[in-house]
Amino acid sequence: MAFLKTRDEDETANLIWNDSAVQHEKIAELRNYQRINHFPGMGEICRKDCLARNMANRMIKSQPQEYSFSPKTWIFPAEYTQFQNYVKELRRKRKQKTFIVKPANGAMGHGISLIRNCEKLPAQDHFIVQEYLDKPFLMEGYKFDLRIYILVTSCDPLRIFLYNDGLVRMGTEKYHAPNESNLNQLYMHLTNYSVNKHNENFERDETADRGSKRSIGWFTEFLRTNDLDVAKFWGDVSELVVKTLIVAEPHVLHAYRMCRPGQPPGSDSVCFEVLGFDIILDRKLKPWLLEINRAPSFGTDQKIDYDVKKGVLLNALKLLNIRASDKRRNLAQQKAEAQRRLYGQGSMKKLSAGSSEWERQRHTLERRKDELKERLAQVRKQISREEHENRHLGNYRRIYPPDDKLLLEKYESLLSAAFQTFLAGRAASLQKEMNNPLKRMKEEDILDLLEQCELDDEKLMGKSSRQRGPKTLSSMPESTQTPKKTEGLQQREQLQQQQLLRLGGRGERGPPGEEREEGFIRPGGEQIQAIGALQQGPLETSNQVCQSRTLCLSDVIRPNPALDLLPEVHLLVDGTVAHRRAARTCSEALHSQLTAQLCLAISLPESRWLCQ
C-alpha cells in the first residue's frame, strides 16, 4: 500500500484527510472506494455540551450503574436553575465543592477556570459546569491525564479499536487540593499540554519515562511495578470507550445512512475516525471521561509524539485496507448494477390483486430467500474483513465487538437502550432493522434457513422433496478423493503461474550474501528498515532496481523547498513501492532536510492522497 499526495481539488483521491468536521454533502458525494477521516454525527460526543446532554439526559438516567464514569455536568444557560438548586442542597448539608467551567465547544484549555463561589456565574452565557475531581491519582506529586487513541472503522456495523500506547500529560506544578488561594494556578489543576508547555517548569525529554509528557506504555509498566492491576485498568478504559461510543452510535448511524442512502448494511464504510479520548484517574485508579477530540493533534514537538502518533496513523491505514484496485472494482460494480437495472435482472415480480394462494406462498418464499442470501453475503464479507483485521492489527486491539460473549451481550443491551431512546417516534425503518433477528445469525444458521426455503419451494412446485440429512460431524474423516479440475480452473492457475514468473515472485531467496526483508534485497545482508527515514544506498526489489526517489509515510513532509530537488515524491508503507520503482538515495544533507516530523502534511485544513 502506497500513497501519493495529490492536489486538493482531485475528486478521485482514495483518502481525504480533514482537520475539522466534514459537511454531510461532502460525505454524500464520495464514491464507494474513497475514505474520509470523519463520521457525520460524531459531534454528539465530541462537543462538550452535546456529550453532557447525551450522557446525563439519556444514558445516565436509564443506566446509572454503567455510566458512572462521567462527572456531574450542567449545561448553561438551560440548566442554570438545576445547578443553583444543587449548590443550595450542598450548602444545606454544609458541604463545599469545586467546579470547573469550560466553553461548550472550546479546545486546548482556552477559557477554562475553577470556581467555588457559584453565585457569581452568569446565567445567560453558553458553557458547561462540571464537578472538579479533587482527589486524582498522582505521579511524583503531579496531576496528569491520559490521551487514549481510538480508531472507529465502521458504524454499520460498529467496529472500535484501541491503540495500546498513548500519551501521559502531566501538570507542571505540584498538586494540592483546590482552595480559595490556588484556584487560579492552572499549571497545577489543568493537564492540557497546550497550557503547561508555556510554564518554565515544563520538562522536555527525549525518553518515554521522564519529563512532563510520557508514554502510556511506560505508565503501564509503572502500574505493574507498583503491584497495581494492569488488566483491570485496561479493561475499565476499554469499557469507558465502548460505552461512550454506544451513546454516539444511533446519531452516527442515522446521519451516515442519510448521507449514503441506498447503501446496503454491512458494506464498506467511506468514513473512519481517529479519536483522542482524554481520561483522568482518581486515587482508586478509576478512569473518568473528561472530553473527546475528533481532531486530535498530530503535531510532533517531541520525539515521544513522533513515536506514538506515527504508530497510530500507520497501523490505522493498514486496518482500513485501502487499495488502488478499489477504484477499478467499484467502477466494474457500478457498470454491472446499471446493466441489472436496465434489463430488470434480480427484480421480483409484484403480486397482482387476483394472485392465488400458491402464488403468494411462492412470492413469500422468494422474498425470504433473497433476504437470506443478502444477509449471507454480508456475513461472509464480515468474516473476510475480520480476517484482514486480525492480520493487520499492529499495536491496535479490537474492543468492539469483543470476543467475550457475556461482555458482548452487555454492550448489545446498552446499544439497544441507546437506540430505543434515540428512535422514539422517528426512523421507523432503522428501528425495524435493529430488531431484525437475522442480524445476530451466523453463516451456518443462514445456510440452514436457505436450505429449508429450498425444500419448501420444492414442495410447492410438486417436486419430490429431498430429505435433510444430518450435518457432517467434525470428527468424521474427510474424503481422500481429489476432485478433478475443470478446464477453466486449469487455465486460471496457468495464467497465475505465468504472472508470478513475470513479476519475479517465485519465492526463491536471493543469492548468497543477500537477505530479503519486506520485499527488498540488499547486497551484503544489510537489513532495510521498511518504515523510517529515506533509505540510504540503492535498493533492489525481487524483480528490478528502483528508479525514483521515495519517501516513507513516517516522514510525511511539510512544505519544504528541498522537495523541489526531487523529480518525483512517493510514499511508502511497510516497504511497498508506489510504482514498483523505489528509491535511489539523496545525499546525507538532503536526507536530513527531508526527514520531517510525522503528520505535518495532514495538519493542513485538507489533504488528499492517491493509493497506488
Side-chain angles (χ1 to χ4, degrees):
M1 177 177 63
F3 289 90
L4 171 67
K5 190 177 185 313
T6 184
R7 62 187 188 278
D8 292 343
E9 62 273 14
D10 189 347
E11 299 296 332
T12 65
N14 298 78
L15 173 63
I16 303 171
W17 189 281
N18 278 269
D19 68 348
S20 59
V22 180
Q23 293 181 348
H24 289 197
E25 292 79 7
K26 180 174 285 189
I27 296 174
E29 293 168 358
L30 291 177
R31 298 171 176 87
N32 289 339
Y33 66 85
Q34 295 180 301
R35 300 290 180 270
I36 195 165
N37 67 316
H38 289 296
F39 280 99
M42 195 63 80
E44 292 293 330
I45 59 170
C46 292
R47 276 183 59 108
K48 296 181 182 66
D49 52 350
C50 293
L51 175 64
R53 184 181 303 111
N54 287 307
M55 282 285 196
N57 295 351
R58 293 172 181 169
M59 297 307 290
I60 292 179
K61 285 183 179 178
S62 62
Q63 306 284 338
Q65 297 299 321
E66 298 293 345
Y67 284 85
S68 61
F69 53 79
S70 180
K72 286 184 179 178
T73 308
W74 294 265
I75 306 168
F76 278 43
E79 296 176 351
Y80 175 83
T81 304
Q82 292 95 311
F83 174 72
Q84 292 298 341
N85 291 338
Y86 179 76
V87 172
K88 288 178 183 177
E89 184 66 19
L90 288 176
R91 195 180 298 121
R92 189 182 66 80
K93 295 178 180 179
R94 296 184 178 180
K95 292 181 179 180
Q96 188 173 23
K97 289 190 176 184
T98 304
F99 299 90
I100 185 167
V101 181
K102 305 177 182 179
N105 196 27
M108 302 175 66
H110 296 313
I112 297 179
S113 60
L114 271 65
I115 62 162
R116 290 167 73 86
N117 186 358
C118 303
E119 286 79 8
K120 294 182 178 179
L121 281 175
Q124 300 302 319
D125 288 359
H126 291 268
F127 51 79
I128 67 165
V129 179
Q130 212 170 49
E131 275 193 1
Y132 181 76
L133 301 174
D134 57 359
K135 296 177 181 178
F137 187 87
L138 301 180
M139 217 161 39
E140 302 173 9
Y142 294 95
K143 184 180 175 183
F144 67 94
D145 73 357
L146 306 176
R147 166 58 61 86
I148 307 289
Y149 290 99
I150 301 298
L151 172 66
V152 182
T153 58
S154 170
C155 67
D156 187 14
L158 182 62
R159 301 191 73 76
I160 309 169
F161 299 84
L162 182 147
Y163 193 69
N164 289 320
D165 205 352
L167 296 173
V168 180
R169 306 176 302 180
M170 303 175 67
T172 48
E173 299 285 351
K174 293 279 187 178
Y175 179 78
H176 298 283
N179 53 56
E180 295 295 342
S181 62
N182 68 13
L183 286 180
N184 294 326
Q185 296 182 25
L186 297 184
Y187 296 136
M188 175 193 297
H189 296 294
L190 301 187
T191 53
N192 306 63
Y193 166 71
S194 54
V195 172
N196 282 282
K197 69 180 180 180
H198 299 295
N199 190 3
E200 60 183 9
N201 295 331
F202 186 86
E203 296 181 17
R204 298 180 185 274
D205 202 284
E206 293 300 313
T207 60
D209 58 350
R210 290 188 298 179
S212 298
K213 189 186 289 188
R214 308 180 187 183
S215 74
I216 289 181
W218 169 83
F219 179 69
T220 302
E221 289 301 317
F222 170 84
L223 295 178
R224 190 174 288 112
T225 303
N226 289 274
D227 295 324
L228 296 169
D229 195 337
V230 175
K232 184 179 185 303
F233 161 73
W234 277 116
D236 291 344
V237 169
S238 299
E239 283 207 23
L240 180 152
V241 170
V242 173
K243 290 175 181 177
T244 304
L245 285 166
I246 281 175
V247 172
E249 170 65 1
H251 303 273
V252 173
L253 180 58
H254 181 62
Y256 184 80
R257 291 277 183 85
M258 294 294 288
C259 291
R260 311 288 297 178
Q263 188 163 320
S267 56
D268 291 335
S269 173
V270 299
C271 299
F272 70 97
E273 193 125 26
V274 178
L275 299 168
F277 274 66
D278 291 344
I279 293 171
I280 192 169
L281 305 175
D282 64 19
R283 62 182 179 179
K284 295 181 180 180
L285 216 64
K286 175 185 174 180
W288 293 81
L289 177 65
L290 296 180
E291 63 183 32
I292 304 163
N293 296 272
R294 71 181 312 172
S297 169
F298 285 102
T300 53
D301 294 346
Q302 297 175 234
K303 182 178 182 298
I304 187 172
D305 291 309
Y306 180 88
D307 293 338
V308 171
K309 296 173 183 179
K310 176 183 73 174
V312 169
L313 286 174
L314 293 183
N315 286 239
L317 289 173
K318 291 180 192 175
L319 274 171
L320 291 173
N321 195 23
I322 302 173
R323 296 163 295 183
S325 59
D326 292 342
K327 186 185 301 186
R328 296 190 297 271
R329 186 166 55 252
N330 177 250
L331 292 174
Q333 289 173 350
Q334 287 181 337
K335 184 177 180 180
E337 181 63 27
Q339 288 179 339
R340 280 196 297 269
R341 288 197 301 267
L342 179 63
Y343 297 111
Q345 297 174 352
S347 59
M348 188 176 297
K349 293 182 179 179
K350 293 184 179 180
L351 287 173
S352 61
S355 299
S356 65
E357 180 64 24
W358 180 84
E359 288 174 330
R360 282 196 288 270
Q361 290 181 3
R362 282 296 315 279
H363 184 270
T364 302
L365 272 175
E366 290 297 328
R367 188 171 56 187
R368 178 67 168 167
K369 283 194 291 184
D370 287 345
E371 184 181 4
L372 287 169
K373 288 175 182 177
E374 181 181 352
R375 182 57 190 160
L376 181 62
Q378 294 172 9
V379 169
R380 287 174 172 170
K381 189 170 187 178
Q382 186 62 35
I383 292 172
S384 175
R385 183 181 295 146
E386 288 185 5
E387 289 175 351
H388 171 84
E389 290 171 353
N390 293 336
R391 292 194 305 269
H392 298 88
L393 282 172
N395 207 20
Y396 279 98
R397 60 185 173 90
R398 194 182 73 218
I399 57 175
Y400 188 88
D403 295 326
D404 187 328
K405 291 185 178 180
L406 292 177
L407 187 58
L408 179 60
E409 288 178 3
K410 181 172 79 170
Y411 287 157
E412 287 181 340
S413 174
L414 294 174
L415 195 57
S416 176
F419 269 101
Q420 286 174 6
T421 303
F422 175 78
L423 296 174
R426 59 174 172 175
S429 61
L430 192 58
Q431 193 166 8
K432 180 180 178 181
E433 183 186 330
M434 291 303 300
N435 297 326
N436 187 350
L438 292 180
K439 285 183 69 69
R440 295 171 179 79
M441 286 190 178
K442 295 183 178 180
E443 182 179 8
E444 54 269 24
D445 300 325
I446 299 173
L447 287 171
D448 283 347
L449 289 176
L450 271 172
E451 185 179 355
Q452 184 60 52
C453 285
E454 294 289 349
L455 290 173
D456 293 342
D457 194 21
E458 289 177 1
K459 289 180 181 178
L460 281 174
M461 298 298 292
K463 298 179 181 178
S464 57
S465 59
R466 300 176 280 114
Q467 294 295 323
R468 293 187 65 185
K471 292 184 178 180
T472 306
L473 298 176
S474 58
S475 59
M476 292 176 66
E478 296 182 358
S479 172
T480 57
Q481 184 177 357
T482 305
K484 293 184 178 180
K485 295 183 179 180
T486 64
E487 183 178 350
L489 181 60
Q490 291 176 341
Q491 291 177 352
R492 190 158 58 249
E493 289 183 351
Q494 291 174 1
L495 180 61
Q496 290 173 349
Q497 185 65 25
Q498 291 170 2
Q499 291 173 339
L500 286 173
L501 291 173
R502 281 202 303 272
L503 294 175
R506 287 165 288 184
E508 300 98 349
R509 294 191 171 275
E514 296 185 347
E515 290 183 3
R516 183 189 300 261
E517 177 177 327
E518 299 291 345
F520 289 116
I521 297 177
R522 182 87 176 253
E526 187 176 346
Q527 290 188 349
I528 297 170
Q529 297 296 325
I531 300 175
L534 284 171
Q535 308 295 341
Q536 300 297 308
L539 302 182
E540 295 186 13
T541 61
S542 57
N543 55 325
Q544 59 182 335
V545 178
C546 307
Q547 299 299 325
S548 65
R549 296 187 175 93
T550 304
L551 200 65
C552 290
L553 186 58
S554 54
D555 296 317
V556 177
I557 39 180
R558 75 176 99 186
N560 191 320
L563 291 179
D564 295 333
L565 300 177
L566 294 177
E568 196 171 9
V569 177
H570 294 164
L571 296 176
L572 284 183
V573 180
D574 273 350
T576 307
V577 187
H579 289 304
R580 293 219 175 261
R581 297 180 300 151
R584 282 185 195 165
T585 59
C586 307
S587 64
E588 188 71 33
L590 181 57
H591 172 267
S592 62
Q593 287 178 314
L594 292 176
T595 307
Q597 297 171 336
L598 178 70
C599 312
L600 286 173
I602 62 172
S603 63
L604 299 171
E606 178 175 308
S607 57
R608 295 176 180 244
W609 305 82
L610 283 173
C611 184
Q612 298 186 344

